[in-house]
Amino acid sequence: MDDAVTDTEVVVVGTGVSGLAALHHLKARGVDVVALERNPDVGGTWYHNRYPGCRFDSESYTYGYSFSQEVLREWHWKERYSPQPENLRYLRFVTEKLALRDVIRFNTTVTGAHWEESTRTWVVHIEGGRSIRSRFLMTCLGMLSTPTMPRVDGIDTFEGPSFHTFDWPKDGIDLRGKRVGVVGTGATGVQAIAAIAPEVASLTVFQRRPNWHTPLGNSEITVEEMAEIRSRYDEIFALCAVSPGGYVHQPDRRGFHSLTAEQRRRFWEELYAQPGFAVWLANFREIFVDREANAEFSAFVAEKVRERVHDPELAEKLIPKDHGFGVQRVPLETNYYEVYNRDNVRLVDLQQTPMVGVTLTGIKTTEEDFELDVIVYATGFDAITGPYEQLDIRGVGGRLLKDKWVDGPETYLGLLVRHFPNLLMVAGPQSSSSSVNFPRSIEAQVDWCMGLLDHLRRNGLTRLEPTAEAEREWVAYVAHLYEKLLMREARSWFTGYNSNIPGREHGQVRHVMFNGGQPKYREILDAVASSDYRELVLS
């Protein structure tokens, strides 16, 4: 490397789950690395999302890092699905245990990065007019780190506290005795709604479209249970490695049509009673691709909703009619449906009475003015591509990454982009990170990036980018995988849909995720590495 023109060899942007993993492996190799973090501490999504009820829906012991025996030996997960405060403590623990803090620059907001061909370096621009030059740029921006607000009038006029769940007040907010409105009933909304309903004076839930939700089934992990888990970590991670979703759950391979309706019903009762994603990911594979199978299982889950919600008319409003179970992200919940049996909770169906706007004192629909003390927006994110497109990232010839992706992301392996040399995206669009247990994908991606950097260093190479053909074939392959799934029709961030962003309405599908499963993705990464990266232009 030509140290005369670089401030550092690698700049890592972000210190969430992926950024910390990258830092550990880079430091272990003796690479000169600096991490830039906009927040005052590590954690990424687990730093920001402090809303009540926020927690894993992956089994805790499958979410933690697998690469440090010391961390595995010393950390005690206290719940099967760990809550946000504990998750942030875990990432802080890892940071200290692996001695990563000394290479992190906190309160440092990256605004963009420009490739300079003459020096083969990235000039990373930082808020305040500063910059740092690096040979390689490794982005660990997070998939869900760019929140979106509703496209309605008057959001800034409300006189009380209002915020997106991503920006929940760091010091908390006392909701006792308050009239609270929550806009949105996705994964975040169902957690927050169930958590705050018992303490508020009144809770008004503004639902645009219902989703399918199933029980989380959380429980404590005793000291004895944790000791048993530690003894099985190799087995647990090996199981995750062969699971399509990177979880401990394996799909049932008997075949939907090989069982009678009665047998399927008994099987589904067993799955519904199990914790976590078993009901989704240990189910028949046909529910993802076969309309008949999906409709039958959706009817089963709909029955469960009707059993749990006392008011039959209200129950029907909570059951999706525009998509089947598992076609969109399945949020897991704890007593979510029971919330609507409370006298202090009201559901507002925005399909029947759309939201007109936000007023000085609350929210106005076509039918009613709702007086509120606090408004919480659980309205999702500009998922996966959003964190990249908000930055001024320019490649060869000054081309803007956002312009290249205007009709959808174009990547190779979800890790590299043609005409953006030496850019390594961890958890980037078209990788497996958004479709599987996040850390299990992250470790595979970071491992691959480390192998590539090792190869470059051994051979004295300073520039890399994918070939045009490799990128074109990967984009086509990712799109092809969508064609096999009912998910291709979903109004979900899985398909790039977001009604709060112009141009992302229904019908404008963006192929943002790899749907081939984690084992297949890892197999592809290994094949590329074993071929000495022939799909890349190295110099």
Side-chain angles (χ1 to χ4, degrees):
M1 300 300 176
D2 182 1
D3 292 332
V5 295
T6 58
D7 293 327
T8 189
E9 189 172 351
V10 181
V11 161
V12 173
V13 183
T15 59
V17 174
S18 53
L20 294 178
L23 277 184
H24 166 67
H25 287 288
L26 288 165
K27 283 198 70 177
R29 285 166 165 75
V31 174
D32 187 10
V33 58
V34 172
L36 307 179
E37 171 57 59
R38 64 180 175 177
N39 295 315
D41 201 356
V42 300
T45 190
W46 300 112
Y47 177 86
H48 273 279
N49 288 279
R50 301 167 183 267
Y51 62 86
C54 181
R55 65 177 61 247
F56 289 156
D57 49 19
S58 305
E59 285 75 11
S60 303
Y61 44 86
T62 72
Y63 192 96
Y65 298 119
S66 69
F67 51 70
S68 170
Q69 290 301 314
E70 188 176 15
V71 170
L72 290 171
R73 184 170 59 251
E74 295 184 19
W75 183 258
H76 180 156
W77 293 108
K78 296 178 180 178
E79 297 181 41
R80 180 180 290 271
Y81 303 98
S82 183
Q84 179 271 335
E86 189 72 1
N87 304 340
L88 183 55
R89 279 193 288 272
Y90 170 75
L91 293 174
R92 287 169 172 164
F93 171 80
V94 170
T95 301
E96 305 307 328
K97 184 62 62 175
L98 302 181
L100 303 178
R101 197 170 291 273
D102 63 316
V103 295
I104 304 173
R105 297 184 186 177
F106 294 107
N107 300 304
T108 303
T109 300
V110 172
T111 59
H114 297 175
W115 172 254
E116 191 174 89
E117 189 67 53
S118 62
T119 59
R120 293 189 172 187
T121 58
W122 282 98
V123 179
V124 182
H125 296 283
I126 300 167
E127 194 173 79
R130 295 169 292 158
S131 65
I132 182 172
R133 187 184 296 271
S134 68
R135 179 70 68 201
F136 299 97
L137 176 61
M138 184 172 287
T139 51
C140 301
L141 304 180
M143 302 183 304
L144 304 175
S145 59
T146 305
T148 55
M149 297 288 277
R151 292 164 65 185
V152 296
D153 295 332
I155 283 182
D156 295 330
T157 64
F158 181 65
E159 294 182 333
S162 66
F163 41 82
H164 194 282
T165 49
F166 185 75
D167 297 312
W168 194 276
K170 184 176 179 180
D171 297 326
I173 182 171
D174 187 357
L175 298 178
R176 289 174 298 180
K178 298 290 197 307
R179 300 168 299 174
V180 179
V182 175
V183 182
T185 55
T188 297
V190 300
Q191 290 182 330
I193 289 165
I196 68 176
E199 67 178 84
V200 301
S202 67
L203 176 61
T204 306
V205 177
F206 297 88
Q207 173 187 271
R208 185 183 57 182
R209 296 167 49 240
N211 204 344
W212 298 98
H213 311 291
T214 52
L216 177 67
N218 189 33
S219 59
E220 294 184 359
I221 298 176
T222 66
V223 172
E224 293 75 21
E225 288 170 333
M226 192 65 224
E228 192 270 337
I229 288 169
R230 286 195 188 96
S231 72
R232 295 193 300 109
Y233 263 132
D234 287 347
E235 174 190 340
I236 290 168
F237 289 127
L239 182 58
C240 291
V242 297
S243 165
Y247 295 89
V248 292
H249 312 291
Q250 292 280 356
D252 190 288
R253 301 182 184 279
R254 290 175 295 176
F256 176 89
H257 296 286
S258 70
L259 278 68
T260 66
E262 292 76 15
Q263 290 171 324
R264 291 194 292 267
R265 174 80 187 205
R266 285 197 297 271
F267 174 55
W268 288 337
E269 291 286 359
E270 294 173 3
L271 286 184
Y272 194 83
Q274 293 180 31
F277 280 133
V279 73
W280 190 23
L281 301 180
N283 213 317
F284 303 109
R285 290 175 292 177
E286 285 89 343
I287 70 166
F288 297 100
V289 297
D290 184 317
R291 292 187 189 281
E292 178 185 341
N294 184 274
E296 185 176 318
F297 184 66
S298 298
F300 169 83
V301 180
E303 287 180 26
K304 295 297 184 184
V305 177
R306 296 184 183 106
E307 291 172 5
R308 295 172 61 184
V309 179
H310 298 163
D311 182 338
E313 184 177 343
L314 181 55
E316 292 307 312
K317 292 182 178 181
L318 293 165
I319 297 171
K321 305 300 192 297
D322 64 345
H323 69 282
F325 181 90
V327 172
Q328 297 179 185
R329 172 70 156 75
V330 177
L332 301 181
E333 48 79 23
T334 301
N335 297 323
Y336 172 67
Y337 290 110
E338 286 74 13
V339 160
Y340 296 99
N341 299 327
R342 299 179 59 91
D343 292 336
N344 69 328
V345 177
R346 177 180 175 185
L347 180 74
V348 177
D349 185 348
L350 296 179
Q351 293 187 68
Q352 293 184 349
T353 59
M355 186 185 298
V356 174
V358 180
T359 67
L360 294 174
T361 58
I363 291 177
K364 179 180 178 62
T365 69
T366 55
E367 188 175 82
E368 190 173 345
D369 284 326
F370 294 87
E371 299 285 324
L372 303 169
D373 299 313
V374 180
I375 301 177
V376 177
Y377 296 100
T379 48
F381 300 85
D382 186 358
I384 307 177
T385 57
Y388 288 89
E389 294 177 349
Q390 70 174 348
L391 299 179
D392 180 25
I393 301 177
R394 297 181 182 271
V396 175
R399 185 177 187 183
L400 188 63
L401 182 62
K402 183 177 181 178
D403 291 342
K404 179 179 172 73
W405 288 357
V406 66
D407 294 322
E410 297 175 359
T411 78
Y412 179 56
L413 306 176
L415 291 163
L416 307 172
V417 183
R418 175 74 172 166
H419 298 310
F420 290 80
N422 294 14
L423 172 63
L424 301 168
M425 303 181 300
V426 182
Q430 300 182 335
S431 72
S432 68
S433 53
S434 54
S435 58
V436 307
N437 190 2
F438 188 71
R440 305 284 61 83
S441 175
I442 289 307
E443 290 192 359
Q445 293 177 54
V446 170
D447 286 346
W448 188 85
C449 289
M450 294 304 111
L452 175 57
L453 291 177
D454 289 345
H455 179 81
L456 296 174
R457 298 177 94 196
R458 283 195 305 268
N459 293 281
L461 302 169
T462 58
R463 190 184 190 282
L464 70 97
E465 68 173 303
T467 65
E469 181 181 7
E471 183 177 83
R472 185 166 54 249
E473 289 181 353
W474 183 255
V475 171
Y477 181 48
V478 169
H480 171 69
L481 292 174
Y482 270 78
E483 294 172 5
K484 299 180 178 182
L485 301 173
L486 297 175
M487 180 189 72
R488 68 186 181 275
E489 302 168 358
R491 285 189 281 175
S492 160
W493 61 269
F494 281 6
T495 56
Y497 168 82
N498 190 320
S499 64
N500 296 318
I501 303 174
R504 302 285 182 83
E505 295 85 358
H506 187 47
Q508 303 297 316
V509 175
R510 292 164 65 89
H511 301 114
V512 295
M513 51 193 278
F514 175 84
N515 290 302
Q518 183 60 15
K520 182 63 175 177
Y521 185 69
R522 187 65 186 255
E523 177 187 323
I524 293 170
L525 294 185
D526 290 344
V528 173
S530 63
S531 71
D532 287 333
Y533 309 98
R534 65 185 179 190
E535 292 85 357
L536 309 184
V537 179
L538 307 177
S539 60

